Amino acid sequence: MKFEIKEAAEKLASNPKWANSLFGKRFIEEFKKEAILTSTPDAGTDAGASSTILEQVVEGLRGYQSLDWFNSQTSTTGNTLYFNVIKSGSAAALASTTFASLPAASEYLPCALDQEVGVKTNWTRSFLEDASYDVLAEQTRQAGQGINMFIQKQAMNLIQAIPVASLAKGILVAPITIALIKDLIKGSDVAGYGTSDYVLCSPAAYWDILSLEQISSALYLGPESLKTGVAPTTWGVTFVKCSALPTGSGAVAMHLVAVNSKNSVGLGWRRQLTVEPYELPATNDYGFVASIRARPIILRSGSISIGTGSIS
């Protein structure tokens, strides 16, 4: 009788009697660990293991702290992506039988996609043989988290370098109040770039905000807001915890950043997340490299408001 290994494995894994048995669980764990050792793209082995690793790294990249506040665009060719940034136009009354020409201002900003960002996660064969798969899975997720933090920190460095005079608003946060938050949010709207739809918060500021009654009563606040660090509100503004915010003392401190996600910071992609497993038995080195080719860019500094200083 001829067996199709992939088909047989899928049937076994989907059989709860087998998959939930002690033997089944142990077999799946050992299979996944061994798959990491033998799933190099050119080895002719089952690509399912590579897919599993990729899913875990993506989970770390997308699930660690939200990237939704970026204006994310992808270039399929070339090493430069052009972001089309528009500032709202103005209307005028009819004068001398002619309407004034005040259309929306449009500009194409180049984003160089020459940066590769990656992380190498590696083990010895003995570690793979002895470690539980849960340990390995957590390490693969952390690879995605590392890339997430790198991009977020780059974006924060760009925001931090913007002259205060070019921002929609820069104010002192001491302490956080509902009036202060509203003042930050309206900054980009007053500047003509639309109301802020995301407020990035340092971890300390995020919890201070959730303690404000005016916010908590306006939240669709459930357990996910506490676990994920993402809190949508009835204002149309989402508060997002961002540990990449530099929260030092003096002029470098940033505890709240309000942005209009269409106009503030762009994230240009040339290569989405790629995971490449490898094995080098001669040097007892097994693992994978997770990488992206992407770069953040400031689109309109006037659509960004920063709250700095003490939060207590």
Side-chain angles (χ1 to χ4, degrees):
M1 181 181 293
K2 183 178 180 182
F3 288 97
E4 292 291 337
I5 294 176
K6 184 177 180 180
E7 181 180 344
E10 288 176 349
K11 286 183 178 179
L12 275 177
S14 63
N15 184 338
K17 285 186 177 181
W18 186 84
N20 294 329
S21 69
L22 182 62
F23 174 78
K25 289 179 179 178
R26 184 61 181 166
F27 178 87
I28 291 173
E29 181 176 293
E30 292 301 319
F31 175 80
K32 287 179 176 178
K33 287 195 294 184
E34 188 62 25
I36 291 176
L37 292 170
T38 59
S39 60
T40 49
D42 57 350
T45 55
D46 186 6
S50 298
S51 176
T52 299
I53 297 172
L54 174 61
E55 289 173 3
Q56 291 169 350
V57 179
V58 168
E59 182 182 346
L61 174 66
R62 299 293 180 184
Y64 177 56
Q65 288 181 354
S66 175
L67 297 174
D68 292 343
W69 61 274
F70 286 95
N71 180 343
S72 184
Q73 296 186 27
T74 302
S75 172
T76 55
T77 58
N79 59 5
T80 302
L81 177 64
Y82 291 88
F83 283 88
N84 183 16
V85 183
I86 299 176
K87 183 175 180 180
S88 299
S90 302
L94 182 67
S96 301
T97 69
T98 304
F99 283 111
S101 178
L102 296 169
S106 180
E107 182 180 6
Y108 287 90
L109 299 179
C111 177
L113 301 178
D114 55 350
Q115 172 179 264
E116 293 182 276
V117 179
V119 59
K120 174 185 175 183
T121 298
N122 62 315
W123 310 279
T124 63
R125 176 175 270 279
S126 61
F127 180 85
L128 281 172
E129 290 170 344
D130 298 339
S132 69
Y133 189 72
D134 288 344
V135 172
L136 304 179
E138 184 58 31
Q139 289 177 325
T140 56
R141 292 187 187 98
Q142 289 176 0
Q145 293 177 9
I147 295 174
N148 178 302
M149 282 301 299
F150 185 93
I151 293 297
Q152 300 247 24
K153 285 181 178 179
Q154 273 201 321
M156 291 306 127
N157 289 339
L158 293 175
I159 291 174
Q160 193 177 9
I162 299 173
V164 175
S166 299
L167 295 168
K169 184 172 283 292
I171 60 178
L172 182 67
V173 180
I176 291 177
T177 64
I178 199 71
L180 179 150
I181 293 173
K182 288 181 178 178
D183 209 17
L184 274 177
I185 291 172
K186 76 178 184 181
S188 64
D189 197 15
V190 173
Y193 296 105
T195 307
S196 297
D197 52 352
Y198 283 88
V199 176
L200 312 177
C201 318
S202 67
Y206 183 80
W207 291 108
D208 279 1
I209 287 171
L210 291 190
S211 69
L212 293 174
E213 183 179 352
Q214 301 98 320
I215 292 291
S216 59
S217 63
L219 291 173
Y220 302 116
L221 185 59
E224 293 305 308
S225 297
L226 304 180
K227 293 189 296 183
T228 63
V230 178
T233 71
T234 52
W235 296 355
V237 177
T238 299
F239 293 89
V240 178
K241 182 164 56 177
C242 180
S243 58
L245 266 68
T247 55
S249 59
V252 299
M254 289 166 52
H255 289 284
L256 297 174
V257 177
V259 300
N260 179 293
S261 60
K262 293 182 179 180
N263 292 315
S264 57
V265 182
L267 182 57
W269 297 84
R270 180 64 177 87
R271 181 173 73 245
Q272 295 285 343
L273 182 65
T274 302
V275 174
E276 299 167 286
Y278 70 90
E279 55 180 29
L280 302 171
T283 56
N284 197 19
D285 186 12
Y286 302 85
F288 66 90
V289 173
S291 66
I292 63 173
R293 185 175 169 187
R295 183 186 292 276
I297 178 178
I298 299 294
L299 301 179
R300 285 287 186 265
S301 56
S303 65
I304 302 172
S305 300
I306 296 177
T308 64
S310 171
I311 60 171
S312 59

